[in-house]
Amino acid sequence: MESASKNDKNTVINKKVKTSETTVKVHAEKQKNKSEKTRPCFWSRLKNFTVEPPKTVVIENGIEKLVLITPEITVIPKTVLPKEETQKPVPVSPETIIRTEIVVKPAPVSQEAVVREKPIEKPVSVLPKTTVVKKKVEREPLPSSEKLKKGLEKTRGRFWSRLRNFFSFQRKIDGSVLEELEDILIGADIGAKPVKKLIHELHEAWKSQAITETSQIHDFIKNKLKEDLRSWQTSIHYAPNPPTVIMVVGVNGVGKTTAIAKLANILIKDGKKVLVAAGDTFRAAAVDQLNIWSKRIGAEIVKHQTGSDPAAVAYDAIEAAIARGIHVVIVDTAGRLHTHENLMNELSKIKRVISKRIPGAPHEVLMVLDATTGQNAISQAKMFKQAVDVTGIFLAKLDGTAKGGIVLGMRNEINIPVKFVGLGETADDIEKFDADTFVNALFE
């Protein structure tokens, strides 16, 4: 029994060994097949790459054959150059070789024989120097009427273009005609109050048969506007004894600094000595801008450090003007909104300091208004008039707006005269306000 069991065990072991050997052989064969199937790498293929010569197809007896193309070889004949005749060296015996050293001394040259000829100088024609004189091309100043007419071009296009169409029709005046005219005048930004006054006067003239047709309204409106604006005192009120102090106020961004430069320039052209007080100490750029303008136009300037008291700047400017014999002192102030009560009180303080040093000063308080703001400028002027008693208006940027009719509204709304008009960006773009010139420029 034991021997039988041992034999069974041996047979099982032999079977396991055989199965393991067969699995190894199968695995080896698979690896061999894989290696045979795997493609060789690029470099090995490149190494074994051979270039086949070019072939072509030739048909012989109806049978197509591939035949190698033999390249044509062109034989270039060699050019045979003639051989140079070579001279054989002549044998020289050592006895015939004689080494001789010959010393050549230069022959003496007499000084008389040496003649140095001077080069013949040819006359050179020298052109005279031409001095180029650069002439400054100065633009000819336009007359005040032409300049104002050009500045009111946008306003005239809005105001007069509609009126021209209205006057072109020969119609009898009635209630509908007056209503249409009222709409045109209000659209020109003149203001409701002055328009109502003008329409009322026109209605009375129509009732009294002074005017009967629309063509007569043109001259009627023109004459009425001139009468209203002529009542303004547009000249500067100078002090009996210099200096005359002009205080300039306004809100932010209306062009106040440029307006001061224009005002100083026109006064200097009138023969006045002008001093500018840089009172806008809250903005460093304003002081620098005034300093540049004063150098351009020839005005003197008094300035303090940024953040100093503007009233102190005004006081020192007046002291300097008295010592230097200055005719006009223009006091700049910081821009402020009319709704800020504390800033408006600061303007009153500056005015009190000026009046303590010179009784009755400031002699003029000019407010710079931006013409592009339209009717909002009138509300600003009302608030400033309560704080510092504004005596005149500098209407800036009139050339860049179609709302020039605001001038006609100021006469009836606030009754503050427009004394100067700004018509550009240079120092010469300023005009003194004249009622007849303004109305003529508006209607032409």
Side-chain angles (χ1 to χ4, degrees), residues 132-176:
V132 179
V133 180
K134 295 182 179 179
K135 293 182 179 181
K136 293 182 179 180
V137 179
E138 297 180 356
R139 62 174 186 178
E140 297 179 357
L142 294 173
S144 59
S145 58
E146 291 296 326
K147 190 183 292 186
L148 192 61
K149 185 178 178 180
K150 186 178 180 181
L152 288 172
E153 188 174 356
K154 292 184 179 180
T155 303
R156 186 169 57 252
R158 179 181 178 181
F159 175 71
W160 176 235
S161 61
R162 294 184 65 187
L163 280 178
R164 187 187 293 110
N165 296 330
F166 178 79
F167 296 144
S168 62
F169 298 101
Q170 299 288 337
R171 293 187 293 174
K172 296 290 183 181
I173 298 176
D174 54 11
S176 62

Side-chain angles (χ1 to χ4, degrees), residues 222-239:
K222 193 174 179 180
N223 293 330
K224 282 294 179 181
L225 292 176
K226 286 182 180 180
E227 288 177 7
D228 283 346
L229 296 177
R230 281 173 189 163
S231 60
W232 276 346
Q233 296 294 328
T234 57
S235 58
I236 294 178
H237 180 259
Y238 289 102

Side-chain angles (χ1 to χ4, degrees), residues 268-283:
I268 290 171
K269 288 185 176 181
D270 288 343
K272 308 289 184 184
K273 291 178 67 177
V274 180
L275 184 142
V276 179
D280 189 357
T281 57
F282 296 102
R283 191 168 63 96

Side-chain angles (χ1 to χ4, degrees), residues 14 36 39 43 56 74 106 126 176 184 198 201 217 252 287 315 334 361 384 407 433 438:
N14 292 329
E36 288 177 355
R39 191 178 180 183
W43 295 110
T56 183
T74 57
V126 180
S176 62
I184 293 173
L198 192 61
E201 293 174 349
I217 296 177
N252 301 317
V287 179
Y315 186 86
F384 273 86
V407 176
F433 183 80
F438 182 83

Side-chain angles (χ1 to χ4, degrees), residues 20-81:
S20 63
E21 287 178 356
T22 54
T23 54
V24 169
K25 287 180 180 180
V26 170
H27 183 70
E29 288 179 357
K30 287 182 179 180
Q31 291 291 332
K32 187 178 180 180
N33 294 330
K34 283 184 180 179
S35 62
E36 288 177 355
K37 290 180 181 179
T38 54
R39 191 178 180 183
C41 66
F42 172 76
W43 295 110
S44 63
R45 286 186 284 117
L46 183 64
K47 186 177 179 181
N48 299 324
F49 179 77
T50 56
V51 180
E52 294 184 358
K55 297 178 181 180
T56 183
V57 178
V58 177
I59 301 172
E60 291 181 359
N61 300 324
I63 299 169
E64 295 180 355
K65 294 181 180 181
L66 284 174
V67 181
L68 295 175
I69 300 173
T70 56
E72 295 180 359
I73 300 171
T74 57
V75 179
I76 301 171
K78 292 182 179 180
T79 57
V80 180
L81 297 174

Side-chain angles (χ1 to χ4, degrees), residues 241-260:
N241 297 316
T244 299
V245 181
I246 301 174
M247 186 175 172
V248 181
V249 298
V251 299
N252 301 317
V254 294
K256 187 160 42 59
T257 307
T258 309
I260 290 172

